[in-house]
Amino acid sequence: MRTISENRCFEGVQGVYAHDSHATNCEMTFGLFLPREAEDGPVPVLWYLSGLTCTHENAMIKAGAQAFAAEHGIALVFPDTSPRGEGVADHEDYDLGQGAGFYVNATQAPWAPHFRMWDYVAEELPNAIDAAFPIDPERQAITGHSMGGHGALTLAMGQPGRFRSVSAFAPIANPVASDWGRKQFGAYLGSDESLWTPHDATHLMRDQGFDGEVLIDQGASDQFLDLLRPEALAQAMAARRQAGTFRMQKGYDHSYFFVSTFIPDHIEFHAEALWA
């Protein structure tokens, strides 16, 4: 574990760290906010997964989450969205390759050697953080924006019992039926669409749901609504009678102005589950 920076932040510490990843076969960077309470012992943790083109920095700098996490004594983890560096495959399109890992384990060339973001976020990074920082592994929650909202929902439903709560901002809700999904799944996972559905929040919601509370916020003026397909997830939640809330926010778009407006609600939502 290599420390890149540590800054005092709302009486806690906002750090940025790097480590060698076996899952992605390259160095990975992540942000970690530890509240003041971490000085006295392990604290609950909220994972924040970012969207297309983002690094660990986007949410760490733009979401304004640290102030509200500090109020509730919760740590925040900001992973990167993909492997990076020399020798890591990339693509000229912004929505494929570096910055667009989609939180899956790639099986196809040229992506398979490095693009194993499911293993990285689900197993390797949590283990590395548990070993190095005062985090309570029994009290975890997860959220994310756009591609990260897709990742948060699929990781939460794909690992029953791990997360006490899950939320998402404008998630890619039905990727197997969207160009934000079909393109990436085809490249990373191949043409067998049966391998795609375990990474589709709408399918997972229909088939199994989440064993806790769910909160979804979607901007009604989001410029990417046709790609996100929020109606599919909302219908799946209703059909399953999933405990939770799906909110369409009038006038809001896909930007971090939207995320920062509703991040207090999401952190309070997770705090209730994490401190229960």
Side-chain angles (χ1 to χ4, degrees), residues 5-265:
S5 64
E6 289 183 331
N7 298 96
R8 196 69 172 166
C9 181
F10 296 101
E11 302 305 316
V13 175
Q14 176 61 65
V16 177
Y17 308 94
H19 68 120
D20 292 330
S21 167
H22 295 292
T24 64
N25 195 27
C26 66
E27 184 177 72
M28 296 293 291
T29 302
F30 66 94
L32 173 65
F33 170 74
L34 290 174
R36 183 200 57 76
E37 288 83 353
E39 297 173 5
D40 302 321
V43 294
V45 60
L46 173 61
W47 292 76
Y48 185 106
L49 305 186
S50 290
L52 288 166
T53 76
C54 292
T55 70
H56 69 280
E57 285 191 332
N58 291 73
M60 188 180 81
I61 293 172
K62 295 180 180 180
Q66 292 91 339
F68 306 103
E71 288 182 9
H72 294 285
I74 294 171
L76 299 169
V77 182
F78 304 99
D80 202 347
T81 56
S82 79
R84 300 180 192 272
E86 186 176 352
V88 176
D90 202 5
H91 196 277
E92 62 183 7
D93 294 345
Y94 75 94
D95 58 357
L96 190 66
Q98 295 187 36
F102 255 77
Y103 305 101
V104 301
N105 287 338
T107 59
Q108 306 298 303
W111 315 106
H114 299 282
F115 280 73
R116 300 187 62 82
M117 289 301 294
W118 178 280
D119 283 354
Y120 178 69
V121 176
E123 298 179 9
E124 186 178 41
L125 184 56
N127 290 337
I129 290 176
D130 290 347
F133 300 98
I135 297 298
D136 183 351
E138 300 301 318
R139 291 183 291 168
Q140 298 191 56
I142 191 166
T143 189
H145 173 230
S146 192
M147 180 185 73
H150 140 77
L153 290 165
T154 57
L155 281 157
M157 287 186 279
Q159 301 176 92
R162 175 176 169 186
F163 297 103
R164 295 194 180 186
S165 53
V166 59
S167 73
F169 301 87
I172 301 175
N174 189 201
V176 301
S178 167
D179 287 343
W180 273 359
R182 297 190 62 82
K183 173 181 180 178
Q184 293 81 5
F185 290 170
Y188 297 148
L189 303 177
S191 59
D192 183 354
E193 296 190 17
S194 68
L195 302 177
W196 301 2
T197 53
H199 298 285
D200 185 292
T202 295
H203 282 266
L204 287 169
M205 183 61 68
R206 288 172 181 162
D207 293 343
Q208 64 191 71
F210 178 66
D211 54 356
E213 291 281 333
V214 177
L215 172 61
I216 309 292
D217 270 314
Q218 172 63 61
S221 296
D222 193 312
Q223 59 271 45
F224 301 115
L225 279 174
D226 289 345
L227 293 166
L228 301 172
R229 293 181 52 81
E231 69 283 355
L233 180 58
Q235 290 165 6
M237 288 178 65
R240 187 163 191 87
R241 294 174 173 80
Q242 171 68 47
T245 304
F246 192 112
R247 308 190 300 191
M248 292 294 292
Q249 301 291 2
K250 184 178 180 180
Y252 285 90
D253 59 16
H254 199 69
S255 70
Y256 264 90
F257 297 109
F258 159 63
V259 174
S260 62
T261 298
F262 297 103
I263 197 74
D265 293 355

